[in-house]
Amino acid sequence: MEKLQSLRGMVDLLPAQLPVWQHVEAVARDHFRRAGLSEIRTPLLEVTELFARGIGEATDVVGKEMYSFEDRGQRRCTLRPEGTASVVRAVLEHGLLSQGPQRLWYGGPMFRYERPQAGRQRQFHQIGLEFLGAADPRSDAEAIAIAWDLLTALGVSGLALELNSLGDASDRAAYRQALVGWLEQRREQLDPEACERIATNPLRILDSKNPATQAVLADAPLLIDHLSAASRQRFEQVRELLDRLAIPYQLNPRLVRGLDYYAHTAFEITSDQLGAQATVCGGGRYDGLVEQLGGPATAAIGWAIGMERLVVLLERAGATGAAAPVPAVYVVSRGPLAEAMALDLATQLRRRGQAAELDLSGAAFARQLKRADRSGAPWAVVIGESEAEQGLVLLKNLLGGGAEQRLSPSAVLAQLAGSAG
Ligand code: ATP
Ligand code: MG
């Protein structure tokens, strides 16, 4: 029969790859706990309207990249392309804001129908943070510091924090007008996609990956020059706080982020080691989103880290965490009585908290013992049919020159797990 393959852009994570993922997850979990964040888990599948409203029809994510379909009940559903909209939906659905500001984190798979390439998949993973009910500039600096320090704690180096302010809605309206006027005069020099966006999402043009369009944009008006005094002052406060925290940043007036609900602080953390897909972490303030999704006006800020890109950076830096754990005991057996005893002993060891690996191959002792050596376990339990008939096993020290003891299973348990069977 023909073998089946995974869908394009859907990537398996094999056992040999998972230790580094588990390392990142463990470090992140501890980091978030110390920052006073709580985890939230939301469904992978949501009504399409959540993203249409929460991200915006004019974005690439909603316009081109969503996995949407009708379910058997004729509901329009979408596999989540990002975490924020779902988190806000869940917070509103369960009235969590009535308990005060929410400091949340999440992790898991996201789905975007993009062209797969290095650092870009159709199912990928993010870990992210959301502060809901956080208006103070300190929350911007705190959110950024949590991302920066997490990446640093994991051992990623060569990172750059790029920072911009998108101002508030009226700053952006003024800027949008100035930008549209400027772009209209240069329509002939822009690529078709950019031309289309003049009407739908002109700010997004600044983010264009087309080199010719980028060249035209070199002296386009900048949003930063259209900020009100209050917005400018707020941005200065955030920058001063980052200075105090010794977090270096570069101002990037072209950083606009793809999603419509961002306001004020926008940032990306990039690495020069990721090629074209250089952004590891993207985030910013989204003061308008909660209201847009039917909730009370609520200031908010968040970010998301792309796990695949982070893992690549850790592998490059050789900072992949501890090696895979080795078993404490490797259990070798041959013959029906011995094999039953081996299963029993391995299970008893595990019930007492020991990592016991059981060889089920039934192969010759020499082959099984070779695997025992390779496993790195300090001890092997060897059970042959003649020992089994006497109710005994051999306990072999694999590190100390192979000394052997003939013991009862309960003596093995006492020696290796500190308790008798
Ligand atoms: P990009 O410009 O790279 O498409 P984005 O603006 O679409 O990024 P966000 O929506 O901000 O990305 O997502 C946050 C992070 O998630 C990105 O910085 C990146 O690390 C990761 N990410 C986004 N899309 C993908 C993808 N298709 N495959 C792998 N990682 C991704
Ligand atoms: Mg994208």
Side-chain angles (χ1 to χ4, degrees), residues 17-351:
Q17 295 170 285
L18 278 164
V20 55
W21 283 72
Q22 289 161 348
H23 167 64
V24 173
E25 286 158 8
V27 171
R29 194 174 287 278
D30 182 56
H31 193 74
F32 293 145
R33 181 186 57 75
R34 283 183 289 114
L37 305 179
S38 306
E39 185 181 1
I40 184 163
R41 298 188 191 186
T42 61
L44 303 193
L45 201 58
E46 299 270 8
V47 295
T48 301
E49 197 196 340
L50 174 64
F51 305 113
R53 255 211 269 164
I55 302 177
E57 304 271 9
T59 59
D60 279 355
V61 171
V62 174
K64 301 186 199 161
E65 298 174 357
M66 293 211 297
Y67 276 90
S68 298
F69 59 92
E70 220 168 65
D71 75 3
R72 289 173 193 273
Q74 277 80 53
R75 293 172 203 88
R76 293 295 301 162
C77 305
T78 295
L79 282 168
R80 66 178 186 193
E82 54 104 52
T84 306
S86 303
V87 169
V88 171
R89 193 236 356 106
V91 163
L92 293 177
E93 188 168 332
H94 301 284
L96 300 186
L97 287 171
S98 67
Q99 299 161 23
Q102 296 293 306
R103 296 165 62 85
L104 303 170
W105 71 273
Y106 63 84
M110 307 293 162
F111 303 84
R112 297 184 193 178
Y113 198 83
E114 302 193 70
R115 189 169 70 78
Q117 54 195 292
R120 205 173 281 292
Q121 299 173 183
R122 290 182 174 172
Q123 175 175 332
F124 62 100
H125 298 79
Q126 289 182 337
I127 46 174
L129 161 160
E130 314 289 355
F131 289 167
L132 300 171
D136 193 283
R138 280 175 301 161
S139 60
D140 303 46
E142 188 192 10
I144 293 172
I146 292 170
W148 184 264
D149 287 358
L150 172 59
L151 295 171
T152 308
L154 283 165
V156 187
S157 56
L159 295 176
L161 168 61
E162 299 185 19
L163 196 64
N164 193 18
S165 172
L166 309 179
D168 62 18
S170 74
D171 299 340
R172 265 199 318 286
Y175 172 66
R176 190 182 158 118
Q177 210 174 5
L179 181 66
V180 166
W182 191 91
L183 289 166
E184 288 290 5
Q185 286 165 21
R186 287 157 186 83
R187 214 171 239 288
E188 289 76 58
Q189 303 167 54
L190 301 172
D191 62 87
E193 193 180 34
C195 286
E196 212 175 288
R197 279 185 174 151
I198 295 179
T200 57
N201 194 354
L203 268 64
R204 218 26 242 282
I205 300 174
L206 300 175
D207 209 18
S208 166
K209 302 210 159 78
N210 183 313
T213 296
Q214 270 306 335
V216 177
L217 291 169
D219 41 29
L222 295 175
L223 179 44
I224 200 95
D225 298 327
H226 288 75
L227 297 187
S228 66
S231 294
R232 214 167 319 132
Q233 198 197 347
R234 190 183 190 288
F235 192 35
E236 265 158 35
Q237 277 176 288
V238 172
R239 286 155 55 186
E240 275 163 25
L241 292 167
L242 290 173
D243 291 339
R244 280 186 75 127
L245 296 173
I247 296 175
Y249 57 83
Q250 296 152 18
L251 294 181
N252 177 355
R254 303 192 170 278
L255 196 154
V256 287
R257 316 272 321 127
L259 312 181
D260 278 349
Y261 48 66
Y262 285 100
H264 294 296
T265 306
F267 68 96
E268 288 190 352
I269 301 175
T270 58
S271 163
D272 52 13
Q273 287 165 52
L274 285 172
Q277 270 56 250
T279 307
V280 198
C281 175
R285 179 160 283 286
Y286 51 93
D287 291 348
L289 178 65
V290 178
E291 236 178 333
Q292 184 135 338
L293 293 177
T298 306
I301 183 163
W303 51 253
I305 287 177
M307 284 287 285
E308 281 76 8
R309 296 183 196 176
L310 174 56
V311 164
V312 166
L313 289 178
L314 293 177
E315 281 166 349
R316 298 251 163 95
T320 53
V326 296
V329 196
Y330 193 98
V331 184
V332 160
S333 59
R334 200 164 147 89
L337 208 55
E339 284 163 1
M341 238 171 114
L343 172 62
D344 187 44
L345 186 54
T347 303
Q348 296 296 344
L349 282 162
R350 291 171 188 161
R351 285 180 182 162

